[in-house]
Every structure is written in C-alpha cells, then in structure tokens.
Amino acid sequence: FSLNLAADCNDVLKALQPIFQEQGMTETVHNWEDHGYLATYIKKNGSFANLRIHPHGLVLVDLQSYNDRTKGREEVDELLNKVEERMKELFHGNIKRVKRLPAILRGGDIDRYWPTADGRLVEYDIDEVVYDEDSPFQNIKILHSKQFGNILILSGDVNLAESDLAYTQAIMGSGKEDYTGKEVLILGGGDGGILYEIVKLKPKMVTMVASNIDQMVIDGCKKYMRKTCGDVLDNLKGECYQVLIEDCIPVLKRYAKEGRMFDYVINDLTAVPISTSPEEDSTWEFLRLILDLSMKVLKQDGKYFTQGNCINLTDALTLYEEQLSRLYCPVEFSRETVCVPSYMELY
C-alpha cells in the first residue's frame, strides 16, 4: 500500500492485528522508533506473514504459505482481501496505490522463473521438464512451455525455443541473402536451428564448429528440439554440411593459415557481455579474437552475422560496436532489432 500521507505505525498495527490473530497466528513486533514497525505472524503449519509499516506511508505485507497449492492460494487471497478492506477503512481515500503481486512458487518440481538479459525476472508457463543433465561444460535443460514449445536453457541462460524462428532468420540476414552455392561457416549453433534453415537454401557447403561445443547439447536437441533442428543433427555429415565437435579458435587459425575463405560467417557462440568489469575482460578478449579470426577467413565481399543483446543494454552494445573499429581491417556494419518470442524482450 502506498499512501498519500504519513502512516501512524501504531494505528496500522492495531487495525491489522485482529486479521492475523483470527488465523491463529503468533505475533512478534519490532519497533524501530523513527523507522517504523515490523510484525511477524507465524502459524502452526509453518506459514508466516511479515507486516512492514514505514512511517513515510508505505505498508508492505509478505506472505509465505506451506500448503496444498489450491487451498493455500484461497487462504492467502482471503487474508489479503481482509487486509485491503481494513486498510481502506482506516485511510479512506488516502491510499495512492495498492499493488498485489502474484505468488512465487518456491521449491516446485518445475522451475518457471528465468531472468531476461537485462535482469528482469520472468515467469514462464513451463509445465514439463523434458531434459535436465549436467555435461562436463554446463547444465543443459530443455523445458516445455505452453506458448513457446520446448526451450533450450544452458546454465540458466534461455538460448532458444521452438517458437524462435525469428532469431534464426535474423542471424541469417532476415531473408535478404542468397546462400545458393555459397560456403558458410557457423560458429556455435549447437541447437541446429541455423544449420537446418541454411541447408534448405542449397549452399555449396556449411561447416558448423564451436568453442567447447557440447555433444550433450546436440544429443538433447536432436531428440527434443526437432521443430528447430529437423534431422540435420542426426548425422554430423550431410550432402552439403559437416559438424565439427571442436574448439573453434584452433579451427579458425587453421583455416586462416590454409587460406580457406567463406562467403558467410555466422557467429552464434555467445551474447555480448553486459559489462566491462574484470570478470568480463576475458569474454571481451574472446569476442575480439573471434572477430579478428573470422575476418581472416571471410571473403572480401563476405558477410559476418552475429547476435547482439537485449536493446536495453545500450552500453554493452555500444562497447561491442567500438570493437569493430579496432579490427585489423576496416568493416562496415548495421544492426537489426527483432522480437524473439521466448526471450520476452527485443534483441
């Protein structure tokens, strides 16, 4: 509750006490004089409530219920409705805003909460854990969403869902490129989505290679992300493609030394780092190295496509673009913004 006036903490406490007492909850009150009150109410079944009253006019009620989900929600709603009614009686028209947040389910069998790139917490409509394994490199999850289909999540980072063809199309040039008879190098792309879409366009040869590409990612995706990868991951070689389970840096250096050149390089390895703090330095160095090596295997009129980041991370995107002026050869670049459904943000 956000009030239009200062709150008399004692009056608020006295008004709301009976509601919690009716629930058979034991009360403990802490008074910090000028900093308001904190009252805790504990029920025998382990449920509890915190009532925090700030004198400047903010009243917070937090409830944690350990109950059957349906029954618990009904009890919580009933209690919160009584609190809201009592507050309106007490303050009449002096409540500026009432905001009730949906319940967060902790400790459930299915984890529905995943952060966006810019740190906002999103609750997904996950209803099934399809795959959950730890490889030597990372944790690999494939979760089913009612809206987005199966979603690949690597070490807590939402990578791609079956709904996210917009991402794949954008990183291939948004339908503006002719891949017929072309040599294409994909860095990363372990979900197989880019490879699957490019093979349809009759290229001469597509080579997919990544830094620490994880065989378990490929195994999980070829079984549970077939709407994204089709059948291209069933075999590591096809008529016009090959998949190399290798570190991409030595491969790029080898191709540069051999003089092998590509019409397109598509980098799907990692997103742009979100900061330049010390722990991010190695990531920026990695990105600069990949950029330089990629330019060395790219034809003079070739094109390099990569993902950026959430458009809210403007500083990170600007820093990335600054790297492009530091390459050993001059490059022209452009950016495109797309909505990737399962990311729940513009990218």
Side-chain angles (χ1 to χ4, degrees):
F1 301 89
S2 181
L3 310 178
N4 288 320
L5 72 174
D8 186 311
C9 298
N10 195 45
D11 285 351
V12 175
L13 184 66
K14 286 182 178 178
L16 298 182
Q17 272 175 335
I19 297 173
F20 297 102
Q21 290 169 351
E22 287 168 8
Q23 300 291 320
M25 303 178 95
T26 304
E27 179 189 73
T28 304
V29 179
H30 304 273
N31 178 2
W32 293 294
E33 298 180 358
D34 295 336
H35 300 289
Y37 284 28
L38 169 66
T40 60
Y41 298 91
I42 302 173
K43 206 170 184 176
K44 288 182 180 179
N45 66 359
S47 301
F48 66 92
N50 291 326
L51 171 63
R52 182 71 170 93
I53 309 165
H54 296 270
H56 68 272
L58 182 66
V59 179
L60 305 175
V61 181
D62 294 304
L63 297 173
Q64 289 198 26
S65 175
Y66 186 74
N67 248 322
D68 169 78
R69 189 182 300 184
T70 304
K71 182 182 177 184
R73 284 182 180 176
E74 289 174 354
E75 290 180 355
V76 166
D77 285 341
E78 183 181 353
L79 190 149
L80 289 175
N81 288 338
K82 289 181 179 180
V83 168
E84 190 170 331
E85 289 171 11
R86 192 67 56 86
M87 287 291 289
K88 287 178 179 177
E89 292 171 2
L90 184 63
F91 288 100
H92 305 293
N94 287 311
I95 296 179
K96 182 165 54 179
R97 185 171 68 251
V98 179
K99 180 69 174 180
R100 192 183 298 190
L101 299 177
I104 291 178
L105 179 65
R106 296 179 174 178
D109 294 333
I110 297 175
D111 187 356
R112 301 163 60 103
Y113 308 98
W114 300 95
T116 59
D118 60 348
R120 291 172 292 111
L121 186 64
V122 173
E123 181 177 359
Y124 285 83
D125 57 348
I126 304 296
D127 60 3
E128 182 184 356
V129 177
V130 177
Y131 182 86
D132 188 357
E133 298 288 343
D134 288 313
S135 79
F137 306 105
Q138 59 201 330
N139 174 257
I140 306 160
K141 284 185 175 65
I142 299 176
L143 307 178
H144 181 263
S145 156
K146 290 180 248 182
Q147 291 183 84
F148 307 125
N150 286 346
I151 305 176
L152 173 65
I153 298 174
L154 300 178
S155 296
D157 182 36
V158 175
N159 271 239
L160 197 75
E162 292 176 318
S163 64
D164 296 344
L165 183 59
Y167 173 94
T168 304
Q169 290 174 331
I171 205 169
M172 289 170 52
S174 297
K176 302 169 189 173
E177 305 300 320
D178 181 6
Y179 286 92
T180 307
K182 300 296 174 61
E183 292 271 1
V184 183
L185 177 63
I186 301 172
L187 306 177
D191 53 70
I194 299 170
L195 181 61
Y196 179 56
E197 295 302 324
I198 287 185
V199 165
K200 296 177 187 177
L201 303 178
K202 309 300 181 186
K204 180 179 178 181
M205 175 56 69
V206 183
T207 301
M208 187 171 102
V209 59
S211 179
N212 288 338
I213 193 168
D214 197 331
Q215 181 68 51
M216 288 180 67
V217 173
I218 290 178
D219 292 342
C221 289
K222 74 181 181 184
K223 187 171 182 180
Y224 300 112
M225 298 283 290
R226 294 190 78 83
K227 289 182 181 177
T228 296
C229 67
D231 60 358
V232 295
L233 297 181
D234 292 353
N235 298 292
L236 298 183
K237 283 190 177 182
E239 283 187 17
C240 63
Y241 73 88
Q242 60 176 340
V243 178
L244 305 180
I245 313 293
E246 298 183 47
D247 187 328
C248 71
I249 292 176
V251 173
L252 283 168
K253 288 180 177 178
R254 183 171 75 242
Y255 286 169
K257 187 176 181 180
E258 295 170 352
R260 186 171 177 186
M261 305 296 282
F262 295 87
D263 298 287
Y264 294 94
V265 176
I266 301 176
N267 181 351
D268 193 34
L269 287 170
T270 184
V272 173
I274 63 173
S275 76
T276 54
S277 59
E279 61 268 21
E280 296 287 356
D281 284 347
S282 60
T283 310
W284 281 108
E285 288 297 326
F286 174 73
L287 284 176
R288 281 191 286 268
L289 177 61
I290 294 296
L291 276 166
D292 263 326
L293 289 173
S294 296
M295 295 305 111
K296 290 176 180 175
V297 300
L298 192 63
K299 292 181 180 178
Q300 185 69 25
D301 60 349
K303 292 185 179 180
Y304 175 92
F305 291 117
T306 188
Q307 60 171 305
N309 217 321
C310 164
I311 63 168
N312 287 342
L313 297 173
T314 54
D315 290 346
L317 291 168
T318 300
L319 283 167
Y320 181 85
E321 291 178 0
E322 287 176 3
Q323 313 308 312
L324 303 180
S325 63
R326 301 178 186 176
L327 300 177
Y328 78 94
C329 63
V331 297
E332 295 177 351
F333 70 90
S334 62
R335 67 160 76 176
E336 181 175 1
T337 300
V338 297
C339 179
V340 183
S342 76
Y343 291 8
M344 298 199 192
E345 57 190 343
L346 293 177
Y347 222 71

